[in-house]
Amino acid sequence: MPHRAIALIDVNNFYVSCERVFNPKLEDRPVVVLSNNDGCAVARSNEAKALGVRMGQPWFQLKDLARKHGIIAYSSNYALYADMSNRVMSILSMFSPDQEIYSIDECFLDLTGFGRFNLIDYGQQIRQRIKQWTGLPVCVGIGSTKTLAKLANHMAKKIPGFKGVCNLNDLSRLQQEDWFSRIGVGETWGVGRRLAPKLRDMGIKTVLDLKRSDPVQMRAYFSVVMEKMIREINGTSCIDLEEIQPTKKQILSSRSFGIPVSDLASLEESVSLYISRAAEKLRRQQSYAGMVYVFIRTSPFNPRKKYYANGMAIPLPTHSDDTLLLVKAALWGLRRIYRRGYFYQKAGVALVDLAPRQYRQTGLFGTTVTDIRSGNLMRIIDQINIRMGRDTLKLASEGFRQPWKMKQGNKSPSYTTNWEELLGVVS
């Protein structure tokens, strides 16, 4: 048996499953969750997939199919999904001290040294605990490397015989290769849609074909990432578990508008809001920004309207996490790139040149009273918004009516994050 045992736990159809937890009538129904402004399908139930709904397919193309088959569409409810994700990851941390949160619905656990457990049974315990405590269905894949754990999770999800848990370490080499010969190369972690056609043109059509390819030669054709991928499929660990989430090198916040925007005031509101969101994330990872970037653009898909796009980087005098200062810089840049007579579809900001808080370079006169007051103010704002709910305290420059906000025509309630939208029990 291989020495290492890495598990990947993945929530099935995460966004759709979150909606079903609080609305059981959606079970066994075709359901999709849409992207910003209700544009494209970003999550699909198995029933919707069976009807031919593709990932990223525009909603307007699906309306006839939806009427015919009763497809139910929901706007993205990010607050709900983030809260449910946090609950899942908290539960998973109870099953291993070594955890890497890979995405909003995926998590690696290092189960190496858990030899006293039957890992199939342990995987079923994980599934049952998460189902009982959150209502969400998950599958568990176990392998000697992260890439094999990903493949095992795919098998656990797609092959009913595994009953939601697949441990490749329990299979012989011949058994593994038999399964790999049935799985398309595009299902390999890191291959995806972009590389799969190139590999198929080379005669590499299945995971087994990739496993048997020469890693050094494939590195010359592609990159070192491909070499690591092949070695991982063959059981050599090349990708470590990242127990500490790496800090982001830049923080981006942007949205498409629900309606086209032409006036500067509306753009200023949106940019103020996006900076506030980005600054919250900046402080959460205990970093400072040395530069603000702001951009605006019209729709590139409207041939009847002249296209305009522009952006501007604004260096800061000293690194900062102060929302007030960051907003001031972003609005200064926005007013210089704004042009009258255009209908803007999107605006956004980025915080760049990030530095850890402990390594911040102060100004000529060191830390000032203003710096201390700024830090205290930001800390109080964050604490109140965490305790009382987002936007309990916010900048007036973010606006209040915000008619430009993205469309969410069919958003479910914030069942777990808003006191006014909690489910009620009628006796």
Side-chain angles (χ1 to χ4, degrees), residues 29 36 40 42 50 63 68 134 163 197 220 304 350 392 408:
R29 301 279 301 278
N36 294 341
C40 304
V42 293
K63 289 188 175 179
K68 182 178 179 181
T134 69
K163 299 179 180 179
R304 295 175 296 176
T392 299
Q408 289 182 297

Side-chain angles (χ1 to χ4, degrees), residues 351-362:
L351 302 181
V352 294
D353 186 21
L354 304 190
R357 181 176 294 172
Q358 63 269 33
Y359 300 133
R360 180 201 186 197
Q361 184 175 353
T362 60

Side-chain angles (χ1 to χ4, degrees), residues 219-239:
R219 174 178 178 167
Y221 287 144
F222 295 94
S223 68
V224 67
V225 176
M226 180 63 74
E227 179 186 6
K228 289 181 178 181
M229 194 186 308
I230 296 168
R231 294 192 186 281
E232 286 243 329
I233 295 173
N234 282 280
T236 301
S237 179
C238 302
I239 308 172

Side-chain angles (χ1 to χ4, degrees), residues 11-29:
V11 183
N12 303 342
N13 306 323
F14 178 60
Y15 288 0
V16 170
S17 295
C18 288
E19 300 291 351
R20 283 175 165 172
V21 168
F22 298 95
N23 187 356
K25 293 180 180 178
L26 300 177
E27 291 290 344
D28 302 320
R29 301 279 301 278

Side-chain angles (χ1 to χ4, degrees), residues 173-186:
R173 181 180 65 84
L174 291 177
Q175 287 174 319
Q176 285 189 25
E177 292 187 349
D178 179 52
W179 283 114
F180 290 170
S181 69
R182 310 180 200 183
I183 301 174
V185 70

Side-chain angles (χ1 to χ4, degrees), residues 1-6 111-115 119 142-145 148 167-173 176 233-237:
M1 178 177 176
H3 178 68
R4 296 193 80 204
I6 304 298
L111 302 183
T112 305
F114 284 52
L119 292 186
I142 303 169
S144 58
T145 68
L148 287 173
N167 184 3
L168 287 176
N169 290 346
D170 281 353
L171 303 181
S172 67
R173 181 180 65 84
Q176 285 189 25
I233 295 173
N234 282 280
T236 301
S237 179

